[in-house]
Amino acid sequence: MSVQERKERERAARERLIVATARELAERQGWDAVTTRRLAERIEYSQPVLYSHFRGKCEIIGAVALEGAAELAAALRTAAAAADGPRARVTALAGAYLDFAERNPAVYDAMFQLDGGLAFAQEDTPAPLKDGFAALLESLEEVAGDGVHPGVFTEVFWAALHGLATLTRAGRLPPEEAGRRLELLVDRLAVI
Protein backbone atom coordinates (compact mmCIF):
# COMPACT_ATOMS: atom_id res chain seq x y z
CA MET A 1 0.00 0.00 0.00
CA SER A 2 1.34 3.40 -0.94
CA VAL A 3 1.68 6.29 1.48
CA GLN A 4 -1.02 8.15 -0.45
CA GLU A 5 -3.46 5.23 -0.14
CA ARG A 6 -2.79 4.98 3.59
CA LYS A 7 -3.38 8.73 4.04
CA GLU A 8 -6.64 8.52 2.09
CA ARG A 9 -7.80 5.58 4.18
CA GLU A 10 -6.92 7.43 7.41
CA ARG A 11 -8.72 10.54 6.18
CA ALA A 12 -11.85 8.52 5.35
CA ALA A 13 -11.72 6.87 8.78
CA ARG A 14 -11.42 10.29 10.47
CA GLU A 15 -14.37 11.56 8.48
CA ARG A 16 -16.50 8.55 9.48
CA LEU A 17 -15.46 9.15 13.11
CA ILE A 18 -16.53 12.80 12.93
CA VAL A 19 -19.92 11.90 11.44
CA ALA A 20 -20.52 9.04 13.89
CA THR A 21 -19.56 11.22 16.85
CA ALA A 22 -21.78 14.08 15.69
CA ARG A 23 -24.65 11.68 15.22
CA GLU A 24 -24.19 10.09 18.63
CA LEU A 25 -23.93 13.46 20.36
CA ALA A 26 -27.01 14.78 18.53
CA GLU A 27 -29.06 11.68 19.38
CA ARG A 28 -28.13 11.97 23.07
CA GLN A 29 -28.18 15.72 23.60
CA GLY A 30 -29.69 17.32 20.50
CA TRP A 31 -28.10 19.20 17.63
CA ASP A 32 -27.45 22.29 19.76
CA ALA A 33 -24.88 20.22 21.66
CA VAL A 34 -22.97 19.48 18.45
CA THR A 35 -20.26 22.09 18.12
CA THR A 36 -16.94 21.87 16.35
CA ARG A 37 -15.16 22.39 19.67
CA ARG A 38 -17.02 19.51 21.35
CA LEU A 39 -16.55 17.25 18.34
CA ALA A 40 -12.83 18.01 18.22
CA GLU A 41 -12.53 17.16 21.92
CA ARG A 42 -14.48 13.92 21.57
CA ILE A 43 -12.61 12.64 18.53
CA GLU A 44 -9.31 13.80 20.04
CA TYR A 45 -8.24 15.86 17.05
CA SER A 46 -7.80 19.61 16.80
CA GLN A 47 -10.49 21.85 15.36
CA PRO A 48 -8.31 22.57 12.28
CA VAL A 49 -8.30 18.83 11.54
CA LEU A 50 -12.09 18.79 11.82
CA TYR A 51 -12.30 21.82 9.51
CA SER A 52 -10.07 20.04 6.99
CA HIS A 53 -12.97 17.59 6.56
CA PHE A 54 -16.02 19.83 7.01
CA ARG A 55 -16.31 23.60 6.71
CA GLY A 56 -18.69 23.69 9.64
CA LYS A 57 -21.71 22.25 11.35
CA CYS A 58 -23.92 22.59 8.27
CA GLU A 59 -21.72 20.20 6.30
CA ILE A 60 -21.61 17.77 9.22
CA ILE A 61 -25.41 17.81 9.37
CA GLY A 62 -25.43 17.17 5.62
CA ALA A 63 -23.11 14.18 6.02
CA VAL A 64 -25.35 12.74 8.75
CA ALA A 65 -28.38 13.34 6.52
CA LEU A 66 -26.80 11.46 3.62
CA GLU A 67 -25.90 8.55 5.88
CA GLY A 68 -29.44 8.55 7.27
CA ALA A 69 -30.98 8.64 3.79
CA ALA A 70 -29.02 5.53 2.83
CA GLU A 71 -30.14 3.77 6.02
CA LEU A 72 -33.76 4.80 5.50
CA ALA A 73 -33.74 3.57 1.90
CA ALA A 74 -32.38 0.21 3.04
CA ALA A 75 -34.99 -0.05 5.81
CA LEU A 76 -37.82 0.79 3.41
CA ARG A 77 -36.68 -1.77 0.85
CA THR A 78 -36.24 -4.45 3.49
CA ALA A 79 -39.72 -3.83 4.88
CA ALA A 80 -41.34 -3.80 1.45
CA ALA A 81 -39.53 -6.95 0.33
CA ALA A 82 -40.72 -8.87 3.38
CA ALA A 83 -44.38 -8.01 2.70
CA ASP A 84 -46.71 -9.97 0.45
CA GLY A 85 -49.02 -7.97 -1.79
CA PRO A 86 -49.44 -4.25 -2.49
CA ARG A 87 -51.39 -3.36 0.67
CA ALA A 88 -48.96 -5.20 2.93
CA ARG A 89 -46.01 -3.57 1.11
CA VAL A 90 -47.39 -0.06 1.51
CA THR A 91 -48.27 -0.68 5.17
CA ALA A 92 -44.81 -2.14 5.87
CA LEU A 93 -43.16 0.74 4.02
CA ALA A 94 -45.08 3.35 6.00
CA GLY A 95 -44.40 1.54 9.28
CA ALA A 96 -40.69 1.32 8.51
CA TYR A 97 -40.57 5.03 7.69
CA LEU A 98 -42.29 6.03 10.93
CA ASP A 99 -40.17 3.59 12.93
CA PHE A 100 -36.98 5.05 11.45
CA ALA A 101 -38.09 8.58 12.33
CA GLU A 102 -38.92 7.53 15.89
CA ARG A 103 -35.70 5.56 16.50
CA ASN A 104 -33.39 8.16 14.91
CA PRO A 105 -34.77 11.59 15.79
CA ALA A 106 -31.52 13.53 15.35
CA VAL A 107 -30.78 11.84 12.04
CA TYR A 108 -34.35 12.47 10.90
CA ASP A 109 -33.94 16.14 11.84
CA ALA A 110 -30.68 16.29 9.89
CA MET A 111 -32.45 14.81 6.88
CA PHE A 112 -35.60 16.93 6.89
CA GLN A 113 -35.57 19.74 9.44
CA LEU A 114 -32.07 21.22 9.60
CA ASP A 115 -29.93 22.97 7.03
CA GLY A 116 -27.41 20.45 5.82
CA GLY A 117 -26.66 22.37 2.65
CA LEU A 118 -28.24 19.65 0.52
CA ALA A 119 -30.42 20.18 -2.53
CA PHE A 120 -33.73 18.30 -2.70
CA ALA A 121 -35.72 17.60 -5.87
CA GLN A 122 -33.09 19.16 -8.11
CA GLU A 123 -30.50 18.00 -10.62
CA ASP A 124 -27.73 18.26 -8.03
CA THR A 125 -29.59 16.34 -5.34
CA PRO A 126 -27.10 13.86 -3.83
CA ALA A 127 -27.59 10.21 -4.81
CA PRO A 128 -28.52 8.97 -1.29
CA LEU A 129 -31.42 11.44 -1.14
CA LYS A 130 -32.61 10.42 -4.60
CA ASP A 131 -32.35 6.77 -3.56
CA GLY A 132 -34.41 7.40 -0.43
CA PHE A 133 -37.19 8.82 -2.59
CA ALA A 134 -36.78 5.94 -5.06
CA ALA A 135 -37.24 3.45 -2.21
CA LEU A 136 -40.64 5.02 -1.53
CA LEU A 137 -41.58 5.25 -5.20
CA GLU A 138 -40.79 1.59 -5.88
CA SER A 139 -43.62 0.43 -3.63
CA LEU A 140 -46.00 3.34 -4.09
CA GLU A 141 -46.15 3.62 -7.86
CA GLU A 142 -48.20 0.42 -8.07
CA VAL A 143 -50.90 1.89 -5.81
CA ALA A 144 -51.00 5.47 -7.10
CA GLY A 145 -54.12 4.85 -9.16
CA ASP A 146 -55.05 5.39 -12.78
CA GLY A 147 -54.14 8.79 -14.14
CA VAL A 148 -52.12 9.72 -11.05
CA HIS A 149 -48.48 10.59 -11.57
CA PRO A 150 -46.52 8.09 -9.41
CA GLY A 151 -43.90 10.67 -8.41
CA VAL A 152 -46.50 13.19 -7.28
CA PHE A 153 -48.41 10.46 -5.42
CA THR A 154 -45.17 9.46 -3.68
CA GLU A 155 -44.52 13.08 -2.69
CA VAL A 156 -48.00 13.37 -1.14
CA PHE A 157 -47.67 10.04 0.67
CA TRP A 158 -44.19 11.02 1.91
CA ALA A 159 -45.54 14.39 3.09
CA ALA A 160 -48.26 12.59 5.05
CA LEU A 161 -45.68 10.25 6.62
CA HIS A 162 -43.44 13.20 7.48
CA GLY A 163 -46.36 15.02 9.05
CA LEU A 164 -47.28 11.99 11.14
CA ALA A 165 -43.66 11.48 12.22
CA THR A 166 -43.16 15.14 13.11
CA LEU A 167 -46.47 15.68 14.88
CA THR A 168 -46.21 12.43 16.84
CA ARG A 169 -42.69 13.22 17.99
CA ALA A 170 -43.75 16.72 19.05
CA GLY A 171 -46.52 15.21 21.20
CA ARG A 172 -49.24 16.76 19.03
CA LEU A 173 -50.83 13.40 18.22
CA PRO A 174 -51.75 10.75 20.80
CA PRO A 175 -49.41 7.76 20.40
CA GLU A 176 -52.14 5.20 21.08
CA GLU A 177 -53.81 6.12 17.77
CA ALA A 178 -50.68 5.56 15.65
CA GLY A 179 -51.94 2.28 14.19
CA ARG A 180 -55.31 3.76 13.23
CA ARG A 181 -53.65 6.74 11.55
CA LEU A 182 -51.38 4.45 9.57
CA GLU A 183 -54.33 2.27 8.50
CA LEU A 184 -56.32 5.34 7.45
CA LEU A 185 -53.38 6.70 5.45
CA VAL A 186 -52.97 3.45 3.55
CA ASP A 187 -56.70 2.94 3.04
CA ARG A 188 -57.48 6.46 1.82
CA LEU A 189 -54.44 7.30 -0.27
CA ALA A 190 -53.48 4.04 -1.89
CA VAL A 191 -55.58 2.36 -4.58
CA ILE A 192 -55.31 -1.25 -3.49
Side-chain angles (χ1 to χ4, degrees):
M1 173 182 305
S2 73
V3 171
Q4 181 64 27
E5 289 172 330
R6 181 182 54 78
K7 285 183 179 184
E8 288 174 9
R9 192 177 71 232
E10 289 171 355
R11 180 172 176 75
R14 250 190 333 269
E15 194 164 298
R16 285 190 304 273
L17 177 63
I18 293 166
V19 171
T21 304
R23 183 175 174 165
E24 177 189 346
L25 187 57
E27 290 292 0
R28 289 180 187 221
Q29 299 177 28
W31 278 104
D32 287 342
V34 179
T35 64
T36 54
R37 183 181 59 74
R38 287 184 82 185
L39 282 175
E41 289 171 3
R42 289 200 177 210
I43 65 171
E44 298 178 345
Y45 284 98
S46 67
Q47 281 184 297
V49 169
L50 194 140
Y51 282 116
S52 74
H53 290 273
F54 299 99
R55 287 182 291 209
K57 186 174 177 177
C58 179
E59 284 189 4
I60 294 168
I61 290 169
V64 170
L66 293 176
E67 190 175 89
E71 292 171 10
L72 176 59
L76 295 175
R77 286 188 174 107
T78 298
D84 186 30
R87 179 179 174 63
R89 263 191 300 284
V90 172
T91 301
L93 177 89
Y97 184 97
L98 295 172
D99 183 58
F100 180 89
E102 182 181 339
R103 284 185 298 103
N104 304 282
V107 173
Y108 192 81
D109 284 349
M111 293 167 64
F112 301 119
Q113 303 289 101
L114 302 174
D115 180 10
L118 304 172
F120 281 80
Q122 298 175 16
E123 281 296 315
D124 59 342
T125 298
L129 297 179
K130 288 180 179 178
D131 191 47
F133 185 79
L136 288 168
L137 180 63
E138 290 162 9
S139 289
L140 295 174
E141 65 186 339
E142 71 179 320
V143 298
D146 293 336
V148 177
H149 187 280
V152 173
F153 177 79
T154 300
E155 290 169 350
V156 171
F157 200 90
W158 173 29
L161 289 173
H162 176 69
L164 288 174
T166 303
L167 291 169
T168 299
R169 192 166 126 211
R172 302 292 197 274
L173 299 175
E176 64 272 8
E177 297 295 334
R180 291 178 68 190
R181 282 190 290 277
L182 182 59
E183 184 178 316
L184 183 62
L185 175 65
V186 172
D187 284 347
R188 296 298 167 105
L189 284 183
V191 179
I192 302 172

